[in-house]
Amino acid sequence: MISFIGAGPGDPELITIKGKRLIEQADVIIYAGSLVNPDVLEGHKAGAEIYNSALMDLDEVIAVMEKAEREGRKVVRVHTGDPAIYGAHREQMDRLDELGITYEVIPGVSSAFATAAALNAEYTLPGRSQTVIFTRMEGRTPMPEREKLPDLARHHATMVIFLSIGFMDEMARQLQEGGYEPTTPVAVVYKASWPDQRIVRGTLQDIAQKVKDAGITKTALTVVGEFLCEDHELSKLYDKHFTTEFRKAKE
Ligand code: SAH
């Protein structure tokens, strides 16, 4: 059984206990070296074989998995954040299905959530936004029709934009084309949870310039929306005049 593991956003303490244990037990480790903090591999077996998938194509990754699996050796495939977000683990699972090799997925802390934590922000702020959109800009790989940034922006939901820090000017333009006011707050978090984490705050009007000035060109998330405003409504969940399943309203 091959284990796909979400390594978390960077801080080696942000991997799950289960993910950590499986890494410690692995004979073969294939990790996404472009983003996974190598420190999360600490504690691996002395003789473990370690591969950086940034240097491999899909066939090569599958070949390593298949060989080790046939030899009865434990393989872990370590993805950054949570594998379900731009992890490209589905194509690997499909190939393993064809080969009759079993697998499991251990979730991880996505950088989407490490970013919210860095900002002390709640994405679903009452009266502001109750919906979160994870997306990216159209770049070298196209976006499906109906998922262009201006279309998504029309909802005024909280938007978490991956893989797009290199296109900030265009991103800010398209978000405004979709109806966001130029004064809409935006935050960019570079390397959330790493020691060199950086936060840039601004509005759709000035964020591109601020990010340029900060010299941030990769490993950053952009979050956009009214949830970054100062004021908001209070939740019903903790409202003393509101009855919940666990608590009666007070007079
Ligand atoms: N599966 C990952 C995302 C992989 S896509 C996850 O759940 O986080 C890679 C993109 O994720 C990067 O281009 C960047 O936009 C974002 N990213 C990954 N780690 C990050 C971090 N520590 N801080 C900010 N953004 C990060």
PDB file of all heavy atoms in Angstrom, residues 27 34 57 71 81 85 100 111 117 119 126 128 135 138 141 154 158 160 164 174 193 195 206 221 233 247:
ATOM      1  N   ASP A  27      10.407   2.837   3.280  1.00  0.00           N
ATOM      2  CA  ASP A  27      11.652   2.390   2.656  1.00  0.00           C
ATOM      3  C   ASP A  27      12.008   3.288   1.469  1.00  0.00           C
ATOM      4  O   ASP A  27      13.165   3.449   1.126  1.00  0.00           O
ATOM      5  CB  ASP A  27      11.500   0.943   2.158  1.00  0.00           C
ATOM      6  CG  ASP A  27      11.142   0.005   3.285  1.00  0.00           C
ATOM      7  OD1 ASP A  27      11.914  -0.060   4.264  1.00  0.00           O
ATOM      8  OD2 ASP A  27      10.069  -0.635   3.222  1.00  0.00           O
ATOM      9  N   SER A  34      10.170  20.793  -4.973  1.00  0.00           N
ATOM     10  CA  SER A  34      10.073  22.223  -5.275  1.00  0.00           C
ATOM     11  C   SER A  34       9.445  22.985  -4.114  1.00  0.00           C
ATOM     12  O   SER A  34       9.724  24.160  -3.929  1.00  0.00           O
ATOM     13  CB  SER A  34       9.267  22.446  -6.552  1.00  0.00           C
ATOM     14  OG  SER A  34       8.019  21.816  -6.454  1.00  0.00           O
ATOM     15  N   ASP A  57       9.441  12.699 -14.305  1.00  0.00           N
ATOM     16  CA  ASP A  57       8.128  12.795 -14.937  1.00  0.00           C
ATOM     17  C   ASP A  57       7.225  11.702 -14.352  1.00  0.00           C
ATOM     18  O   ASP A  57       7.670  10.880 -13.542  1.00  0.00           O
ATOM     19  CB  ASP A  57       8.230  12.742 -16.469  1.00  0.00           C
ATOM     20  CG  ASP A  57       8.819  11.437 -16.983  1.00  0.00           C
ATOM     21  OD1 ASP A  57       8.654  10.390 -16.309  1.00  0.00           O
ATOM     22  OD2 ASP A  57       9.460  11.441 -18.059  1.00  0.00           O
ATOM     23  N   GLU A  71       8.727  -5.271  -4.673  1.00  0.00           N
ATOM     24  CA  GLU A  71       9.761  -5.816  -3.772  1.00  0.00           C
ATOM     25  C   GLU A  71       9.291  -5.843  -2.316  1.00  0.00           C
ATOM     26  O   GLU A  71      10.059  -6.158  -1.419  1.00  0.00           O
ATOM     27  CB  GLU A  71      11.039  -4.970  -3.876  1.00  0.00           C
ATOM     28  CG  GLU A  71      11.725  -5.090  -5.235  1.00  0.00           C
ATOM     29  CD  GLU A  71      12.782  -4.003  -5.468  1.00  0.00           C
ATOM     30  OE1 GLU A  71      12.942  -3.106  -4.612  1.00  0.00           O
ATOM     31  OE2 GLU A  71      13.449  -4.056  -6.525  1.00  0.00           O
ATOM     32  N   GLY A  81       1.427  20.828   1.253  1.00  0.00           N
ATOM     33  CA  GLY A  81       0.094  21.217   1.719  1.00  0.00           C
ATOM     34  C   GLY A  81      -0.808  20.007   1.828  1.00  0.00           C
ATOM     35  O   GLY A  81      -0.452  19.019   2.471  1.00  0.00           O
ATOM     36  N   ILE A  85      -5.253  19.726  -3.425  1.00  0.00           N
ATOM     37  CA  ILE A  85      -5.243  21.044  -4.068  1.00  0.00           C
ATOM     38  C   ILE A  85      -4.004  21.156  -4.958  1.00  0.00           C
ATOM     39  O   ILE A  85      -2.879  21.245  -4.454  1.00  0.00           O
ATOM     40  CB  ILE A  85      -5.212  22.189  -3.013  1.00  0.00           C
ATOM     41  CG1 ILE A  85      -6.296  22.016  -1.959  1.00  0.00           C
ATOM     42  CG2 ILE A  85      -5.316  23.546  -3.701  1.00  0.00           C
ATOM     43  CD1 ILE A  85      -7.689  22.302  -2.430  1.00  0.00           C
ATOM     44  N   GLY A 100      -3.021  -2.253 -10.362  1.00  0.00           N
ATOM     45  CA  GLY A 100      -3.544  -3.065  -9.261  1.00  0.00           C
ATOM     46  C   GLY A 100      -2.801  -2.823  -7.949  1.00  0.00           C
ATOM     47  O   GLY A 100      -2.750  -3.700  -7.087  1.00  0.00           O
ATOM     48  N   SER A 111      -1.638  25.179   2.274  1.00  0.00           N
ATOM     49  CA  SER A 111      -1.131  26.544   2.452  1.00  0.00           C
ATOM     50  C   SER A 111      -2.289  27.541   2.505  1.00  0.00           C
ATOM     51  O   SER A 111      -2.134  28.639   3.042  1.00  0.00           O
ATOM     52  CB  SER A 111      -0.154  26.914   1.339  1.00  0.00           C
ATOM     53  OG  SER A 111      -0.766  26.835   0.077  1.00  0.00           O
ATOM     54  N   ALA A 117      -4.127  31.422   8.830  1.00  0.00           N
ATOM     55  CA  ALA A 117      -3.556  31.464  10.181  1.00  0.00           C
ATOM     56  C   ALA A 117      -2.547  32.607  10.301  1.00  0.00           C
ATOM     57  O   ALA A 117      -2.541  33.350  11.287  1.00  0.00           O
ATOM     58  CB  ALA A 117      -2.891  30.123  10.506  1.00  0.00           C
ATOM     59  N   LEU A 119      -2.555  35.313   8.790  1.00  0.00           N
ATOM     60  CA  LEU A 119      -3.270  36.598   8.769  1.00  0.00           C
ATOM     61  C   LEU A 119      -4.211  36.745   9.963  1.00  0.00           C
ATOM     62  O   LEU A 119      -4.891  37.760  10.084  1.00  0.00           O
ATOM     63  CB  LEU A 119      -4.097  36.698   7.474  1.00  0.00           C
ATOM     64  CG  LEU A 119      -3.298  36.739   6.165  1.00  0.00           C
ATOM     65  CD1 LEU A 119      -4.230  36.545   4.976  1.00  0.00           C
ATOM     66  CD2 LEU A 119      -2.542  38.067   6.043  1.00  0.00           C
ATOM     67  N   PRO A 126     -19.119  36.184   9.119  1.00  0.00           N
ATOM     68  CA  PRO A 126     -20.563  36.423   9.035  1.00  0.00           C
ATOM     69  C   PRO A 126     -20.876  37.762   8.359  1.00  0.00           C
ATOM     70  O   PRO A 126     -20.243  38.772   8.652  1.00  0.00           O
ATOM     71  CB  PRO A 126     -21.000  36.457  10.502  1.00  0.00           C
ATOM     72  CG  PRO A 126     -19.987  35.649  11.225  1.00  0.00           C
ATOM     73  CD  PRO A 126     -18.692  35.876  10.488  1.00  0.00           C
ATOM     74  N   ARG A 128     -20.144  38.864   5.599  1.00  0.00           N
ATOM     75  CA  ARG A 128     -19.155  39.299   4.605  1.00  0.00           C
ATOM     76  C   ARG A 128     -19.017  38.279   3.482  1.00  0.00           C
ATOM     77  O   ARG A 128     -19.205  38.584   2.322  1.00  0.00           O
ATOM     78  CB  ARG A 128     -17.788  39.514   5.267  1.00  0.00           C
ATOM     79  CG  ARG A 128     -17.740  40.735   6.170  1.00  0.00           C
ATOM     80  CD  ARG A 128     -17.821  41.996   5.338  1.00  0.00           C
ATOM     81  NE  ARG A 128     -17.578  43.180   6.148  1.00  0.00           N
ATOM     82  CZ  ARG A 128     -17.653  44.414   5.685  1.00  0.00           C
ATOM     83  NH1 ARG A 128     -17.975  44.632   4.426  1.00  0.00           N
ATOM     84  NH2 ARG A 128     -17.421  45.434   6.470  1.00  0.00           N
ATOM     85  N   THR A 135      -8.696  28.927  -6.382  1.00  0.00           N
ATOM     86  CA  THR A 135      -8.506  28.945  -7.833  1.00  0.00           C
ATOM     87  C   THR A 135      -7.104  29.401  -8.182  1.00  0.00           C
ATOM     88  O   THR A 135      -6.249  29.549  -7.297  1.00  0.00           O
ATOM     89  CB  THR A 135      -9.575  29.839  -8.504  1.00  0.00           C
ATOM     90  OG1 THR A 135      -9.513  29.663  -9.920  1.00  0.00           O
ATOM     91  CG2 THR A 135      -9.390  31.318  -8.155  1.00  0.00           C
ATOM     92  N   GLU A 138      -5.182  31.861 -15.197  1.00  0.00           N
ATOM     93  CA  GLU A 138      -4.788  31.147 -16.399  1.00  0.00           C
ATOM     94  C   GLU A 138      -3.354  31.524 -16.715  1.00  0.00           C
ATOM     95  O   GLU A 138      -3.037  32.713 -16.796  1.00  0.00           O
ATOM     96  CB  GLU A 138      -5.699  31.571 -17.541  1.00  0.00           C
ATOM     97  CG  GLU A 138      -5.512  30.768 -18.773  1.00  0.00           C
ATOM     98  CD  GLU A 138      -6.755  30.849 -19.639  1.00  0.00           C
ATOM     99  OE1 GLU A 138      -7.024  31.937 -20.161  1.00  0.00           O
ATOM    100  OE2 GLU A 138      -7.431  29.822 -19.774  1.00  0.00           O
ATOM    101  N   THR A 141      -0.899  26.839 -18.284  1.00  0.00           N
ATOM    102  CA  THR A 141      -1.970  25.837 -18.446  1.00  0.00           C
ATOM    103  C   THR A 141      -3.314  26.562 -18.392  1.00  0.00           C
ATOM    104  O   THR A 141      -3.539  27.396 -17.520  1.00  0.00           O
ATOM    105  CB  THR A 141      -1.906  24.754 -17.342  1.00  0.00           C
ATOM    106  OG1 THR A 141      -1.499  25.382 -16.133  1.00  0.00           O
ATOM    107  CG2 THR A 141      -0.937  23.669 -17.691  1.00  0.00           C
ATOM    108  N   ARG A 154     -17.237  37.604  -9.698  1.00  0.00           N
ATOM    109  CA  ARG A 154     -18.614  38.134  -9.628  1.00  0.00           C
ATOM    110  C   ARG A 154     -19.320  37.720  -8.350  1.00  0.00           C
ATOM    111  O   ARG A 154     -20.244  38.375  -7.904  1.00  0.00           O
ATOM    112  CB  ARG A 154     -19.441  37.651 -10.828  1.00  0.00           C
ATOM    113  CG  ARG A 154     -18.951  38.296 -12.068  1.00  0.00           C
ATOM    114  CD  ARG A 154     -19.911  38.417 -13.221  1.00  0.00           C
ATOM    115  NE  ARG A 154     -19.239  39.312 -14.143  1.00  0.00           N
ATOM    116  CZ  ARG A 154     -18.408  38.903 -15.115  1.00  0.00           C
ATOM    117  NH1 ARG A 154     -18.217  37.635 -15.337  1.00  0.00           N
ATOM    118  NH2 ARG A 154     -17.771  39.775 -15.860  1.00  0.00           N
ATOM    119  N   THR A 158     -14.886  34.867  -0.744  1.00  0.00           N
ATOM    120  CA  THR A 158     -13.464  34.887  -0.384  1.00  0.00           C
ATOM    121  C   THR A 158     -12.713  34.122  -1.464  1.00  0.00           C
ATOM    122  O   THR A 158     -13.100  33.002  -1.804  1.00  0.00           O
ATOM    123  CB  THR A 158     -13.269  34.192   0.975  1.00  0.00           C
ATOM    124  OG1 THR A 158     -13.940  34.963   1.961  1.00  0.00           O
ATOM    125  CG2 THR A 158     -11.798  34.043   1.320  1.00  0.00           C
ATOM    126  N   VAL A 160      -9.080  32.496  -2.760  1.00  0.00           N
ATOM    127  CA  VAL A 160      -7.722  32.075  -2.410  1.00  0.00           C
ATOM    128  C   VAL A 160      -7.066  31.678  -3.728  1.00  0.00           C
ATOM    129  O   VAL A 160      -7.477  30.704  -4.362  1.00  0.00           O
ATOM    130  CB  VAL A 160      -7.757  30.881  -1.436  1.00  0.00           C
ATOM    131  CG1 VAL A 160      -6.343  30.442  -1.072  1.00  0.00           C
ATOM    132  CG2 VAL A 160      -8.566  31.229  -0.190  1.00  0.00           C
ATOM    133  N   SER A 164      -0.118  31.974  -8.818  1.00  0.00           N
ATOM    134  CA  SER A 164      -0.347  33.099  -9.735  1.00  0.00           C
ATOM    135  C   SER A 164       0.392  34.359  -9.347  1.00  0.00           C
ATOM    136  O   SER A 164       0.117  35.420  -9.903  1.00  0.00           O
ATOM    137  CB  SER A 164      -1.855  33.407  -9.782  1.00  0.00           C
ATOM    138  OG  SER A 164      -2.595  32.246 -10.103  1.00  0.00           O
ATOM    139  N   GLN A 174      -8.187  41.658 -13.573  1.00  0.00           N
ATOM    140  CA  GLN A 174      -9.311  40.747 -13.839  1.00  0.00           C
ATOM    141  C   GLN A 174     -10.309  40.709 -12.682  1.00  0.00           C
ATOM    142  O   GLN A 174     -11.506  40.556 -12.895  1.00  0.00           O
ATOM    143  CB  GLN A 174      -8.785  39.337 -14.120  1.00  0.00           C
ATOM    144  CG  GLN A 174      -8.055  39.231 -15.436  1.00  0.00           C
ATOM    145  CD  GLN A 174      -7.726  37.789 -15.811  1.00  0.00           C
ATOM    146  OE1 GLN A 174      -8.274  36.851 -15.245  1.00  0.00           O
ATOM    147  NE2 GLN A 174      -6.841  37.619 -16.769  1.00  0.00           N
ATOM    148  N   SER A 193       4.045  29.921   7.144  1.00  0.00           N
ATOM    149  CA  SER A 193       4.518  28.982   8.183  1.00  0.00           C
ATOM    150  C   SER A 193       6.016  28.678   8.127  1.00  0.00           C
ATOM    151  O   SER A 193       6.533  27.971   8.976  1.00  0.00           O
ATOM    152  CB  SER A 193       3.717  27.666   8.198  1.00  0.00           C
ATOM    153  OG  SER A 193       4.270  26.713   7.288  1.00  0.00           O
ATOM    154  N   PRO A 195      10.083  29.963   8.329  1.00  0.00           N
ATOM    155  CA  PRO A 195      10.741  31.014   9.128  1.00  0.00           C
ATOM    156  C   PRO A 195      10.828  32.344   8.370  1.00  0.00           C
ATOM    157  O   PRO A 195      10.805  33.406   8.973  1.00  0.00           O
ATOM    158  CB  PRO A 195      12.145  30.450   9.389  1.00  0.00           C
ATOM    159  CG  PRO A 195      12.035  28.978   9.181  1.00  0.00           C
ATOM    160  CD  PRO A 195      10.926  28.752   8.201  1.00  0.00           C
ATOM    161  N   ASP A 206      -3.359  48.702  -5.236  1.00  0.00           N
ATOM    162  CA  ASP A 206      -1.918  48.885  -5.014  1.00  0.00           C
ATOM    163  C   ASP A 206      -1.146  47.590  -4.743  1.00  0.00           C
ATOM    164  O   ASP A 206       0.069  47.625  -4.592  1.00  0.00           O
ATOM    165  CB  ASP A 206      -1.696  49.886  -3.857  1.00  0.00           C
ATOM    166  CG  ASP A 206      -2.291  49.399  -2.524  1.00  0.00           C
ATOM    167  OD1 ASP A 206      -2.590  48.195  -2.402  1.00  0.00           O
ATOM    168  OD2 ASP A 206      -2.452  50.234  -1.613  1.00  0.00           O
ATOM    169  N   LEU A 221       0.585  32.947  -1.750  1.00  0.00           N
ATOM    170  CA  LEU A 221      -0.850  32.885  -2.016  1.00  0.00           C
ATOM    171  C   LEU A 221      -1.406  34.297  -1.946  1.00  0.00           C
ATOM    172  O   LEU A 221      -0.982  35.098  -1.115  1.00  0.00           O
ATOM    173  CB  LEU A 221      -1.558  32.062  -0.941  1.00  0.00           C
ATOM    174  CG  LEU A 221      -1.673  30.568  -1.135  1.00  0.00           C
ATOM    175  CD1 LEU A 221      -2.526  29.986  -0.024  1.00  0.00           C
ATOM    176  CD2 LEU A 221      -2.301  30.257  -2.470  1.00  0.00           C
ATOM    177  N   GLU A 233     -20.197  41.351  11.131  1.00  0.00           N
ATOM    178  CA  GLU A 233     -21.231  40.951  12.091  1.00  0.00           C
ATOM    179  C   GLU A 233     -20.674  39.871  13.017  1.00  0.00           C
ATOM    180  O   GLU A 233     -19.728  39.183  12.662  1.00  0.00           O
ATOM    181  CB  GLU A 233     -22.428  40.356  11.346  1.00  0.00           C
ATOM    182  CG  GLU A 233     -23.192  41.368  10.534  1.00  0.00           C
ATOM    183  CD  GLU A 233     -24.178  40.693   9.596  1.00  0.00           C
ATOM    184  OE1 GLU A 233     -24.513  39.502   9.816  1.00  0.00           O
ATOM    185  OE2 GLU A 233     -24.602  41.355   8.653  1.00  0.00           O
ATOM    186  N   ARG A 247     -26.859  24.833  23.533  1.00  0.00           N
ATOM    187  CA  ARG A 247     -26.900  25.957  24.446  1.00  0.00           C
ATOM    188  C   ARG A 247     -28.206  26.707  24.223  1.00  0.00           C
ATOM    189  O   ARG A 247     -28.601  26.958  23.092  1.00  0.00           O
ATOM    190  CB  ARG A 247     -25.697  26.860  24.101  1.00  0.00           C
ATOM    191  CG  ARG A 247     -25.423  27.989  25.016  1.00  0.00           C
ATOM    192  CD  ARG A 247     -24.109  28.677  24.611  1.00  0.00           C
ATOM    193  NE  ARG A 247     -24.068  29.128  23.224  1.00  0.00           N
ATOM    194  CZ  ARG A 247     -24.735  30.181  22.762  1.00  0.00           C
ATOM    195  NH1 ARG A 247     -25.476  30.913  23.544  1.00  0.00           N
ATOM    196  NH2 ARG A 247     -24.652  30.504  21.482  1.00  0.00           N
TER     197      ARG A 247
END
